[in-house]
């Protein structure tokens, strides 16, 4: 009898196979591909109770035009 298949998240299977991309560029490429798979309906959206996702989608206060002070400068 066959063993039950554990569900594998397809988004964890994305990786950069060729070239010498830096970790930042590889992460960006993986994020783009994951977004395309979600938008195209190939994979399901993340659950709404994902705290990290909710945090990054939360509206932020605009910072354009604000003055910045470097507290380390003497």
């Amino acid at each position: 009898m066959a063993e039950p298949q554990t569900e594998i998240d397809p988004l964890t299977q994305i990786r950069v196979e060729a070239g010498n991309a830096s970790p930042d560029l590889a992460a960006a490429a993986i994020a783009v591909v994951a977004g395309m798979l979600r938008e195209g309906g190939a994979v399901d959206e993340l659950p709404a109770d994902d705290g990290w996702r909710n945090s990054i989608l939360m509206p932020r206060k605009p910072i354009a035009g604000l003055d910045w002070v470097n507290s380390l400068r003497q």
Side-chain angles (χ1 to χ4, degrees), residues 8-30:
I8 297 174
D9 182 5
L11 299 180
T12 62
Q13 305 301 307
I14 302 168
R15 59 186 175 272
V16 177
E17 290 287 333
N20 55 356
S22 69
D24 290 339
L25 288 176
I30 290 168

Side-chain angles (χ1 to χ4, degrees), residues 18-61:
N20 55 356
S22 69
D24 290 339
L25 288 176
I30 290 168
V32 168
V33 171
M36 290 168 42
L37 290 172
R38 279 193 202 104
E39 290 292 320
V43 295
D44 293 332
E45 278 290 328
L46 295 173
D49 60 344
D50 181 11
W52 180 81
R53 179 182 166 89
N54 292 342
S55 172
I56 63 168
L57 295 177
M58 184 183 334
R60 306 283 190 224
K61 181 178 175 184

